[in-house]
Amino acid sequence: MSAKLRSTISKVAPRVGIFVLILAVWYCVCRFTGIPKFILPSPGDVIGAFRDDWRLMLSHARVTLTETMIGLFVGILIGFLTAVLMDRFALVRKTVYPLIVVSQTIPTVAIAPMLVIWLGYEMLPKIVLIVLVVFFPIAISLLQGFSEVDKDTVNLMRSMGASRMQIFRYVKLPNSLGHFFSSLKISVSYAVVSAVVSEWIGGTEGLGCYMTRVRKSFASDKMFAVIILISVISLILIWLTEVIQHACMPWEKAHYHHRRTIE
Amino acid sequence: MAVLEVKNVTFSYDGVNKILNDVNLVLNDGELVCLLGVSGGGKTTLFNIIAGLLEPQQGQVLLNGEDITGQSGKVSYMLQKDMLLPYRTVEDNVALPLIIKGMKKKEAREKVGAYFEEFGIEGTQKRYPVELSGGMKQRAALLRTYLFSAQVALLDEPFSALDTLTKSEMHRWYLDVMDRIKLSTLFITHDVDEAILLSDRIYLLDGMGGLTDEIVIKEPKPRRKEFVLSEEFLQYKRDIIAKIYAGKTDV
Ligand SMILES: Nc1ncnc2c1ncn2[C@@H]1O[C@H](COP(=O)(O)OP(=O)(O)OP(=O)(O)O)[C@@H](O)[C@H]1O
Ligand SMILES: [Mg+2]
């Protein structure tokens, strides 16, 4: 038990330590250089901003989160369907794959204003943007997982009389989950950022709009506060993704221990 | 009575180089027959044809007289690698053939659970394949092959990945189990001793895509413990090795 505690401490201590160090440096810079608050607010100022404005921030956060979740959900769905079709039909893969690779070179920030012009100031353009950002890594990683399956494993399934659907369900799908979740973890933070960026461009609600407002009034303490809030939201979503991943891939633990003992 | 017959099967991957050339083979009910031959001789290819995963250019595969050429799902097949799916627990791996046939997961688990003890892997139900030893994985894969419960089983080098001690332990266990379940089995190996110890009959690959005459092992089953050390055993071994060289097959 104490050995376990010690190993936990040795794992956590460096992480906490670096944060404390950064905070201390930040505090000292503000405290001893007399730098103006609107250029660099101190940690205390930022905490104050949270205290004053948390209700407002949370209500904006709710809007941003709603967009993010809907966008993620739809993006995953479309990415999944695209991957399945590309895996099943060579023609679809040959035509669609280059198209989506090229589409990824278009910068998100550049199409966001167009989306607002086309789709208005409500949630829709934001969700569409998130979908565009998310579906690509999901589709590509799933496709990779589907096509990476061992030929002999498929032969084994066929020898047991498995249908194409059963091979998909029992071999291809579980085989691609690892890739899927790694790309989902990246997609989740992209989705949050995309939501915020699209809110800068148009609309009246969401953390992006809140950011635009506080920037215009030079409330740097609130700006810092909302940036931290966005990071925290991303972190929580990534953590949630990991929780779901562990639930979906119960074998990972055994594999992890296996690798550890080999090393 | 013949359960499985391979008739005049010829096969080539590229249309030029004949891997199998006019192969004929018979497996009788309850028999354990071994295919012995050099690496790259086409043994796995022949199994893939019998299992319906490949279609021969010529010839037929008959199961109880019925033509099953090119049809998969008719015989139990244990592939050369043990091939347990890494993301399924051992019991879910073993239950896979039942689940594919449409049985509910829970029911399938209950059904396969009853065999774990007999196959010497009791207690591994909820574990993952990576947590098992080589011998245990092999047993699990054999159990899965058995539970597919086709009339005929194809085993492609089931024991060749095991160390010598584990292997001879598995041989004894396998003979014991086969004595009870009497499954008609075709069996591939490189190992002459293994072939003699386990089989009722042995086919040798002649190195030119065909099979030589079969060698019948007359030793009754269950095989006595000293069989491997007996003069008869050595005589079989001498014959086989002589035939392999006579057929200019290089081992
Ligand atoms: N999918 C394939 N495409 C083309 N050639 C193949 C393929 N599979 C096997 N071969 C060739 O066919 C020949 C026979 O292979 P096969 O795997 O049947 O041999 P084997 O007797 O099972 O050998 P081993 O004892 O090493 O398993 C080999 O020369 C091999 O290179
Ligand atoms: Mg082989």
Side-chain angles (χ1 to χ4, degrees):
Chain A
M1 185 59 210
S2 86
K4 198 175 171 192
L5 193 67
R6 224 178 299 142
S7 94
T8 316
I9 289 173
S10 75
K11 232 195 281 177
V12 172
R15 296 179 199 177
V16 175
I18 190 76
F19 274 108
V20 172
L21 187 70
I22 291 171
L23 275 177
V25 172
W26 178 12
Y27 176 80
C28 290
V29 169
C30 297
R31 178 84 172 73
F32 299 113
T33 60
I35 204 164
K37 185 176 155 184
F38 74 92
I39 292 184
L40 183 65
S42 74
D45 295 335
V46 175
I47 292 169
F50 266 124
R51 198 185 45 225
D52 296 343
D53 244 10
W54 66 272
R55 266 176 215 283
L56 190 58
M57 280 189 213
L58 282 188
S59 80
H60 283 296
R62 186 176 319 126
V63 175
T64 305
L65 253 179
T66 310
E67 292 158 2
T68 306
M69 295 314 278
I70 298 177
L72 268 174
F73 183 76
V74 177
I76 292 171
L77 201 70
I78 295 179
F80 181 80
L81 290 175
T82 315
V84 170
L85 290 175
M86 285 196 290
D87 178 59
R88 177 69 181 77
F89 303 104
L91 185 66
V92 177
R93 183 167 55 243
K94 282 184 200 141
T95 50
V96 173
Y97 196 93
L99 195 69
I100 53 183
V101 170
V102 171
S103 79
Q104 288 311 299
T105 60
I106 302 168
T108 332
V109 197
I111 47 171
M114 291 315 295
L115 288 176
V116 171
I117 292 172
W118 293 332
L119 303 171
Y121 287 89
E122 298 299 310
M123 273 196 185
L124 189 60
K126 286 129 199 166
I127 292 171
V128 170
L129 189 74
I130 297 170
V131 170
L132 287 176
V133 168
V134 163
F135 108 100
F136 172 77
I138 298 289
I140 297 302
S141 63
L142 279 173
L143 181 65
Q144 191 187 351
F146 293 162
S147 49
E148 244 176 24
V149 298
D150 185 48
K151 206 175 106 262
D152 281 332
T153 312
V154 175
N155 269 343
L156 172 75
M157 295 296 288
R158 283 179 55 210
S159 81
M160 293 193 271
S163 65
R164 207 190 275 277
M165 253 318 276
Q166 287 174 319
I167 293 176
F168 180 79
R169 177 167 168 201
Y170 297 124
V171 178
K172 291 192 169 183
L173 201 57
N175 198 62
S176 60
L177 282 182
H179 293 295
F180 170 75
F181 278 107
S182 336
S183 76
L184 184 58
K185 269 179 255 178
I186 299 168
S187 299
V188 158
S189 40
Y190 280 4
V192 176
V193 172
S194 304
V196 170
V197 168
S198 61
E199 286 162 358
W200 288 348
I201 288 156
T204 51
E205 284 184 296
L207 290 173
C209 297
Y210 179 85
M211 274 174 108
T212 316
R213 277 179 219 154
V214 296
R215 184 171 52 86
K216 282 181 182 155
S217 59
F218 293 97
S220 301
D221 50 348
K222 292 183 182 169
M223 193 71 171
F224 267 66
V226 71
I227 290 172
I228 291 171
L229 180 61
I230 290 167
S231 299
V232 169
I233 289 174
S234 289
L235 282 174
I236 291 175
L237 289 180
I238 290 172
W239 172 77
L240 267 176
T241 310
E242 271 174 13
V243 171
I244 297 170
Q245 175 174 16
H246 290 315
C248 292
M249 303 173 69
W251 60 88
E252 269 220 312
K253 216 169 151 191
H255 288 202
Y256 177 73
H257 289 308
H258 180 67
R259 278 198 296 276
R260 287 279 298 265
T261 48
I262 284 174
E263 281 158 14
Chain B
M1 197 199 83
V3 216
L4 181 80
E5 276 177 277
V6 174
K7 278 191 171 166
N8 310 103
V9 162
T10 297
F11 181 84
S12 160
Y13 282 103
D14 53 11
V16 185
N17 190 11
K18 283 184 183 168
I19 307 288
L20 301 172
N21 192 4
D22 198 22
V23 167
N24 287 283
L25 172 157
V26 176
L27 177 69
N28 295 311
D29 197 19
E31 230 182 1
L32 201 158
V33 170
C34 194
L35 270 172
L36 186 63
V38 289
S39 190
K43 304 182 295 293
T44 300
T45 306
L46 180 58
F47 269 23
N48 284 340
I49 289 171
I50 297 173
L53 302 176
L54 291 173
E55 281 220 45
Q57 276 84 23
Q58 279 167 39
Q60 288 174 307
V61 179
L62 305 178
L63 184 68
N64 296 318
E66 186 199 343
D67 191 349
I68 58 155
T69 319
Q71 296 177 28
S72 54
K74 300 282 182 182
V75 296
S76 307
Y77 185 13
M78 178 166 159
L79 282 81
Q80 193 156 357
K81 290 185 268 169
D82 66 66
M83 286 297 199
L84 297 172
L85 303 182
Y87 32 75
R88 295 178 82 82
T89 56
V90 176
E91 67 176 352
D92 287 349
N93 259 290
V94 169
L96 198 55
L98 304 180
I99 291 171
I100 286 174
K101 282 179 185 165
M103 196 184 275
K104 288 265 174 304
K105 201 172 188 173
K106 192 163 164 266
E107 198 185 331
R109 279 179 180 167
E110 265 165 33
K111 180 155 185 226
V112 305
Y115 293 89
F116 270 69
E117 180 143 22
E118 169 147 46
F119 276 72
I121 43 174
E122 185 57 40
T124 64
Q125 281 90 330
K126 303 282 176 209
R127 318 213 71 166
Y128 287 95
V130 286
E131 300 172 287
L132 265 56
S133 71
M136 286 159 114
K137 279 188 222 170
Q138 227 58 6
R139 285 166 193 251
L142 275 167
L143 174 54
R144 180 183 59 197
T145 312
Y146 170 61
L147 284 172
F148 185 68
S149 50
Q151 229 184 327
V152 170
L154 309 175
L155 309 181
D156 193 348
E157 304 193 20
F159 307 129
S160 62
L162 303 175
D163 63 87
T164 324
L165 286 178
T166 314
K167 199 165 160 177
S168 63
E169 188 195 324
M170 288 287 283
H171 286 157
R172 247 181 292 141
W173 166 78
Y174 184 69
L175 281 171
D176 187 42
V177 172
M178 287 310 281
D179 194 45
R180 268 171 283 145
I181 63 184
K182 299 228 188 316
L183 181 65
S184 315
T185 306
L186 259 186
F187 190 103
I188 289 177
T189 181
H190 289 130
D191 183 336
V192 180
D193 289 15
E194 179 172 277
I196 302 169
L197 176 63
L198 301 181
S199 333
D200 298 306
R201 278 186 303 127
I202 300 173
Y203 286 101
L204 299 179
L205 269 75
D206 66 9
M208 292 171 294
L211 299 181
T212 59
D213 287 342
E214 76 263 52
I215 294 157
V216 180
I217 309 289
K218 297 207 181 70
E219 180 74 16
K221 284 189 167 179
R223 302 254 147 102
R224 60 197 154 103
K225 267 217 176 96
E226 320 79 64
F227 178 51
V228 279
L229 302 170
S230 66
E231 184 52 40
E232 295 97 309
F233 191 93
L234 286 178
Q235 190 53 48
Y236 284 125
K237 196 167 172 176
R238 263 184 236 119
D239 283 356
I240 288 170
I241 289 172
K243 276 204 177 171
I244 288 172
Y245 282 114
K248 76 173 187 51
T249 320
D250 23 20
V251 167

